[in-house]
Amino acid sequence: MTKFLKQECQVTPYQVGDDGKALLNRFGEIVYGEPVTCKCRREKIVKDIVQSNGAVLQATTRYFLDEKYEPKADYLIDGAVVLTAEEYINERGTVEGYEVYP
């Protein structure tokens, strides 16, 4: 998968509190840390993502990242909030990368 990752993106993780959850500021917004530059492949697509509360959001971009950095939902990727991040498993059953929808 790595040989197809010819682009770069900025992944910004959220800061984690003592309880293991994302830190929130006084306005209830997630507090983010420093961005990390990752190799990626970016594709324009249209996909409906169903959230846990039943809301349906439309993703217009898909990113493929390698296994070196695991993105999570609510991280930022190129400034957009990650809706879902799915593991990309190879034929040996190990994580080869991630498919991310902001």
Side-chain angles (χ1 to χ4, degrees), residues 4-25:
F4 299 110
L5 305 179
K6 304 293 184 192
Q7 298 167 309
E8 290 186 344
C9 62
Q10 296 287 322
V11 178
T12 308
Y14 51 74
Q15 294 181 4
V16 179
D18 295 333
D19 58 357
K21 296 181 181 179
L23 285 178
L24 302 176
N25 65 15

Side-chain angles (χ1 to χ4, degrees), residues 30 34 43-44 49-50 52 55 60 64 69 73 85-86 89 99:
I30 295 175
E34 293 297 315
E43 297 178 346
K44 295 289 183 190
I49 307 288
V50 179
S52 59
T60 58
F64 291 98
Y69 191 79
E86 302 167 0
I89 307 295
E99 189 173 336

Side-chain angles (χ1 to χ4, degrees), residues 2-3 7 21 27 30 32-33 60 64-65 69 78 81 85 94 97:
T2 306
K3 66 182 177 180
Q7 298 167 309
K21 296 181 181 179
F27 302 109
I30 295 175
Y32 290 97
T60 58
F64 291 98
L65 305 173
Y69 191 79
D78 286 341
V81 177
T94 58

Side-chain angles (χ1 to χ4, degrees), residues 1-7 38-41 64-69 88 90 95-98:
M1 179 176 192
T2 306
K3 66 182 177 180
F4 299 110
L5 305 179
K6 304 293 184 192
Q7 298 167 309
C38 298
K39 292 191 129 331
C40 73
R41 185 170 107 209
F64 291 98
L65 305 173
D66 62 13
E67 80 287 351
K68 294 176 186 154
Y69 191 79
Y88 198 83
N90 65 16
V95 176
E96 188 169 320
Y98 298 93

